[in-house]
Amino acid sequence: MDVVFEQYFDFGLMRDEFGFVLDGFWQTVQLSIISGVLALAWGLVLALLRQLPGRGLAPVRGLTIAYIDLFRGVPLLLVVLIISGSFPFVAEGLGLPQSIGIPQWFGKPDPFWYGTMALTLTYGAYMAEVYRSGIEGVPGGQMEAARALGMSHGRAMRHVIVPQAVRRVIPPLLNDFIALMKDTSLVGVIALLEVVEAGRTVQAETLNSSALTLGALMFLVVTLPLARIVDRYIAREQGRFQRGLATA
Amino acid sequence: MTEPMLELHGVHKRFGTLEVLRGIDLTVLRGNVVCVIGPSGSGKSTLLRCINLLEPPDEGRIVLEGKEITAGSARGESLDFVRRRVGMVFQQFNLFPHKSALENVCLAQEKVLGRSREEAAKKGRELLGRVGLSDKASEYPERLSGGQQQRVAIARALAMDPHVMLFDEVTSALDPELIKEVLDVLRELAAEGMTMVVVTHEIGFARDVANYVVFMDEGVIVEEGPVRRVIDAPREERTKRFLGLVLQR
């Protein structure tokens, strides 16, 4: 048993490497929040494009569905690799300035931004599906009532449908955010020193995994409360729903 | 007072192979209350939904205040024209659950008619007062009874200053003791001269309030005429049978 403890819970090592691992985790958190916010917005855009009415807009709907299927169907790691490997050349070929091809905005290295792109593109597709379930879960009478009051499709979406849909999908969106946060570790392969890569570096130097355990603990400090928030929100909504039934 | 507000000429509506409306001709005069009665599945609701273009008709013409609204080319423009003149109230109320009663009444006033927040709220409070719900302005729909929700829905439609109101079985989802409070609002509206098309199973209400009754079955108008004529002295066998069944209850 001692060897298990020593390999994974070497407190001395954890103390020595704490600052280094924490710096990595800070990268993870920043990457998660920026990608998460962008994916939330991009997912909503995709969901709305997918719900556009009318025969004339069928191509837009078709392209959106193709996009969502594509990014849900390929591994995030692959997206990370093809963006980081070729985006600088593609951007240069398109005549874009180097500040876009090799982005180093806000003092963050380019792998950070390639990771942000990959996470946003991929999780936007996942979140679009979540929004869609929310939008489709709003009773059809809501859109009809809004249209009957003279609102356009866009206005009805904005003021009537989306606010109700978002409320319904906050828990699954938070779950997706937790998944996204864990998947930021894949950006480590393109040399972003996030928490897993930091732990790996220490592991390679010391032949001891305790720095990775420390990283895992840091993840849990964030993800466990988030999971509890999701549970509590669901319980509260269910209470509301049951009260609603009682008064109906 | 006797010019036509709304005219339907040969209106057809199909859902796939099912023909729900099979040639409807109907004229609604300004200030009149027309009640549409008939068995379930006879196309009554679809008729209302065609009038405000929630379901565009497949064939035929609909003329509202002298303007044809079914002309294919100018659909968008027609939609706006219709929805600003025609208010609709639904069987299931369809209040916006994330908005208070007053916000329900104000939303479209602000976003569609461009009224200021204060203007909309003033009109909203006035209308909630008219349907007897002044004290419920800040309540959310889940805290209101069905009858109260339906009265908010009526106020919401009236806030748009409609010229015609469509009522689609507005009491069918209500407990019996709540029906009267909604019908009273309709009565008052009728007395004020609002042009109304009312799909209803409340024959007593139709007898009291309607100027004109339409009996529909299987997508056609079987019989129509003044209330006394259609309800008290129906000529068609199908009308007699339906009224016999309904009045027996």
Side-chain angles (χ1 to χ4, degrees):
Chain A
M1 278 311 281
D2 277 359
V3 66
V4 172
F5 207 77
E6 199 183 291
Q7 270 298 313
Y8 297 115
F9 296 97
D10 182 336
F11 292 126
L13 181 78
M14 284 186 183
R15 194 182 54 234
D16 293 344
E17 301 294 347
F18 187 82
F20 182 65
V21 175
L22 188 66
D23 281 348
F25 189 62
W26 178 229
Q27 290 290 331
T28 297
V29 168
Q30 288 173 300
L31 184 59
S32 303
I33 290 176
I34 294 173
S35 309
V37 169
L38 291 174
L40 274 174
W42 178 227
L44 182 58
V45 169
L46 290 169
L48 291 174
L49 288 175
R50 192 178 177 152
Q51 298 288 334
L52 285 173
R55 200 169 296 171
L57 293 168
V60 178
R61 290 195 295 273
L63 281 174
T64 310
I65 291 168
Y67 171 94
I68 292 170
D69 286 353
L70 182 71
F71 278 92
R72 285 199 309 158
V74 296
L76 176 61
L77 178 59
L78 189 150
V79 180
V80 170
L81 290 172
I82 57 179
I83 289 181
S84 68
S86 295
F87 187 76
F89 305 122
V90 173
E92 194 182 0
L94 293 173
L96 296 170
Q98 205 191 16
S99 62
I100 290 177
I102 307 176
Q104 300 189 327
W105 308 317
F106 303 107
K108 292 277 165 221
D110 49 309
F112 182 92
W113 296 111
Y114 297 140
T116 300
M117 289 180 210
L119 285 161
T120 302
L121 290 171
T122 301
Y123 272 87
Y126 286 122
M127 290 183 179
E129 287 297 283
V130 173
Y131 282 119
R132 175 166 81 124
S133 73
I135 289 170
E136 289 177 352
V138 176
Q142 292 288 312
M143 176 58 92
E144 290 193 344
R147 297 306 301 268
L149 286 165
M151 287 187 224
S152 61
H153 175 88
R155 278 225 174 87
M157 273 290 179
R158 181 165 157 214
H159 298 293
V160 177
I161 307 298
V162 170
Q164 294 183 55
V166 167
R167 240 162 271 202
R168 285 161 187 261
V169 298
I170 286 173
L173 286 176
L174 276 174
N175 280 334
D176 270 1
F177 179 76
I178 293 172
L180 178 149
M181 187 167 185
K182 295 189 295 177
D183 273 354
T184 55
S185 59
L186 292 171
V187 185
V189 302
I190 55 170
L192 180 74
L193 201 61
E194 44 69 60
V195 62
V196 176
E197 192 56 23
R200 238 162 70 96
T201 308
V202 177
Q203 186 189 38
E205 284 168 4
T206 61
L207 302 180
N208 184 301
S209 299
S210 298
L212 281 168
T213 315
L214 181 62
L217 292 173
M218 289 180 182
F219 263 112
L220 290 173
V221 165
V222 176
T223 53
L224 285 183
L226 271 177
R228 291 282 80 75
I229 289 172
V230 172
D231 283 356
R232 190 168 301 181
Y233 188 90
I234 291 173
R236 210 185 69 197
E237 286 297 293
Q238 237 146 29
R240 265 170 71 117
F241 178 65
Q242 273 151 9
R243 273 206 308 284
L245 277 186
T247 57
Chain B
M1 281 299 278
T2 52
E3 83 233 55
M5 182 80 180
L6 184 65
E7 297 161 77
L8 282 73
H9 303 284
V11 169
H12 286 254
K13 180 69 192 177
R14 294 177 201 91
F15 295 111
T17 55
L18 182 69
E19 190 162 23
V20 181
L21 296 180
R22 301 186 295 153
I24 300 285
D25 297 285
L26 179 67
T27 301
V28 178
L29 300 179
R30 190 177 292 277
N32 267 12
V33 177
V34 174
C35 279
V36 183
I37 59 173
S40 302
S42 56
K44 309 181 298 284
S45 292
T46 306
L47 177 67
L48 287 193
R49 297 159 63 82
C50 280
I51 291 174
N52 80 344
L53 301 183
L54 273 181
E55 303 285 359
D58 295 314
E59 252 178 73
R61 298 188 307 125
I62 299 177
V63 179
L64 176 67
E65 297 189 321
K67 180 177 156 45
E68 179 173 350
I69 58 172
T70 34
S73 55
R75 269 281 312 276
E77 195 190 318
S78 284
L79 270 186
D80 213 41
F81 179 86
V82 173
R83 305 262 163 88
R84 283 183 182 225
R85 283 163 181 77
V86 181
M88 183 155 182
V89 183
F90 301 86
Q91 183 176 349
Q92 298 297 340
F93 332 134
N94 297 343
L95 288 186
F96 307 137
H98 58 303
K99 305 233 172 239
S100 70
L102 185 62
E103 288 166 346
N104 262 278
V105 181
C106 291
L107 180 66
Q109 291 190 68
E110 291 172 31
K111 304 301 172 195
V112 178
L113 302 180
R115 286 180 187 152
S116 71
R117 186 170 274 264
E118 297 74 37
E119 230 179 323
K122 183 165 173 279
K123 176 116 189 162
R125 288 184 190 286
E126 178 192 313
L127 284 165
L128 285 176
R130 242 173 92 185
V131 298
L133 293 172
S134 294
D135 54 332
K136 302 287 184 192
S138 51
E139 292 285 4
Y140 283 79
E142 65 174 10
R143 311 248 328 201
L144 299 174
S145 73
Q148 290 169 335
Q149 289 192 47
Q150 193 59 295
R151 285 185 280 151
V152 174
I154 294 171
R156 179 174 71 174
L158 291 175
M160 307 302 284
D161 297 322
H163 301 185
V164 187
M165 285 285 286
L166 310 178
F167 294 92
D168 188 8
E169 298 197 27
V170 293
T171 57
S172 296
L174 297 178
D175 293 336
E177 74 271 20
L178 301 178
I179 289 176
K180 184 174 176 298
E181 66 187 50
V182 172
L183 290 184
D184 284 347
V185 172
L186 264 62
R187 275 198 180 88
E188 214 171 286
L189 261 185
E192 287 163 15
M194 174 64 78
T195 309
M196 295 161 55
V197 184
V198 185
V199 169
T200 186
H201 291 297
E202 301 290 331
I203 304 296
F205 170 81
R207 201 202 306 260
D208 286 356
V209 179
N211 307 96
Y212 200 81
V213 172
V214 174
F215 173 71
M216 281 181 71
D217 194 13
E218 295 178 346
V220 294
I221 293 178
V222 176
E223 189 164 4
E224 60 182 304
V227 186
R228 302 284 160 209
R229 238 276 293 117
V230 177
I231 291 186
D232 296 330
R235 286 173 199 160
E236 298 290 329
E237 212 36 59
R238 272 193 283 181
T239 319
K240 286 180 194 166
R241 212 178 321 132
F242 174 75
L243 286 170
L245 283 172
V246 174
L247 293 174
Q248 245 172 38
R249 286 190 312 174

